[in-house]
Amino acid sequence: MAEILNTASIQSFRTDLAAAFRWAARLNYHEAVANHFSVAVNQDGSQFLINPNQRHFALIKASDLLLLDANDADTLHQPNAPDPTAWGLHGAIHRHCPRARCVLHTHSTFSTVLACLKDPRLPPIDQNAAQFYNRVVYDNAFDGMAFIDEGERYAALLKDSDKNVLLMGNHGLVILGETVADAFNRLFYFERSAETYIRALQTGMELNLLSDEVAEKTAVQWQDYQQSAEAHFAQLKVILEQQEPDYRL
Ligand SMILES: [Zn+2]
């Protein structure tokens, strides 16, 4: 088993991931008791925290999170085993993509609508969408639920890429981040951008696309504006602390 970071670090990962679940529920990004978020806690990314099987996002506490080893083939046979699709997708990504520190998977409404279009590409129609210009992996080979084989297929798409967004055709979304805050902020902005685009399409009017040059310039500016992710997430935790502090127990 690879070296795990110290106990205090793991507790902060637990707290942040629990906060992400609580906020995802508030934003209606959850789906029933499915969908999963994970965060790596050791240096090679093989040990990770993930939500327990069949637990609603709105109820998850820091201490509920499972600590799994992406290389442990017996994981699904252990007591308190994760959901098989959670293991299939997140286990494969953490096993093959050490850069994937935090992995958020949702079927959030507007991203999923986008993933169901024949052409699912998100065009740079506003400042938010521009941050994803040429920065999304688009998959168009859905082959069933994310058990082992499908999870491996998704992980392979991310393994050889430096992109942090995977739009899963006919399925949903995977977001990667360096921290939980970074990933959650990216999830928020991708879903918001997809909503803006889908609502713009619904007007039936012609879209006013940004030029490639302005889209790329804006995307680079977003990359240099990282403090907003940490500030965003810190504020979300302040609200949780006031309104549902049991998330960090
Ligand atoms: Zn899914």
Side-chain angles (χ1 to χ4, degrees):
M1 180 177 284
E3 183 186 356
I4 295 179
L5 297 179
N6 65 52
T7 305
S9 295
I10 290 186
Q11 188 56 41
S12 78
F13 286 127
R14 286 184 176 277
T15 303
D16 281 359
L17 200 61
F21 284 118
R22 295 293 181 103
W23 266 97
R26 289 186 179 211
L27 295 170
N28 199 31
Y29 293 172
H30 63 297
E31 180 163 276
V33 290
N35 288 172
H36 305 90
F37 294 171
S38 60
V39 62
V41 298
N42 66 339
Q43 296 200 331
D44 74 3
S46 60
Q47 309 278 328
F48 62 96
L49 297 168
I50 196 165
N51 36 327
N53 198 357
Q54 310 297 315
R55 188 79 51 86
H56 197 286
F57 279 15
L59 297 175
I60 291 175
K61 299 184 181 75
S63 59
D64 293 331
L65 300 171
L66 309 177
L67 178 57
L68 303 182
D69 180 344
N71 296 308
D72 180 358
D74 290 330
T75 296
L76 290 182
H77 305 294
Q78 68 188 30
N80 204 19
D83 179 89
T85 63
W87 175 246
L89 180 63
H90 293 253
I93 293 174
H94 287 295
R95 193 158 50 246
H96 297 300
C97 307
R99 72 183 182 88
R101 303 304 301 181
C102 182
V103 181
L104 307 180
H105 170 52
T106 69
H107 304 160
S108 43
T109 305
F110 290 95
S111 298
T112 305
V113 170
L114 186 60
C116 295
L117 301 182
K118 192 76 174 176
D119 179 358
R121 289 174 294 178
L122 177 70
I125 58 165
D126 75 340
Q127 175 174 294
N128 287 341
Q131 71 180 284
F132 301 105
Y133 178 72
N134 279 342
R135 286 160 176 80
V136 178
V137 177
Y138 293 97
D139 171 53
N140 193 24
F142 178 82
D143 192 31
M145 293 180 71
F147 298 120
I148 297 294
D149 290 350
E150 188 72 342
E152 290 281 336
R153 192 180 70 76
Y154 287 129
L157 295 172
L158 290 165
K159 182 183 178 191
D160 299 323
S161 170
D162 60 357
K163 296 173 179 167
N164 290 319
V165 181
L166 167 62
L167 192 66
M168 314 154 88
N170 308 97
H171 184 164
L173 183 63
V174 169
I175 297 284
L176 306 185
E178 294 178 6
T179 63
V180 176
D182 177 44
F184 192 86
N185 191 62
R186 186 168 294 114
L187 170 62
F188 173 86
Y189 276 108
F190 192 86
E191 178 67 14
R192 177 63 64 98
S193 300
E195 177 173 2
T196 300
Y197 176 50
I198 297 302
R199 291 188 186 279
L201 288 178
Q202 288 171 335
T203 68
M205 307 286 281
E206 188 175 359
L207 303 182
N208 187 19
L209 299 184
L210 299 175
S211 69
D212 292 348
E213 292 74 20
V214 170
E216 176 61 26
K217 171 183 162 183
T218 308
V220 170
Q221 289 173 331
W222 273 106
Q223 289 168 353
D224 294 338
Y225 192 58
Q226 268 300 311
Q227 81 274 13
S228 67
E230 299 298 329
H232 175 197
F233 201 66
Q235 290 286 285
L236 300 185
K237 288 196 289 185
V238 170
I239 297 170
L240 289 176
E241 191 65 32
Q242 293 174 353
Q243 299 178 355
E244 44 183 311
D246 67 316
Y247 86 92
R248 57 177 170 73
L249 296 179

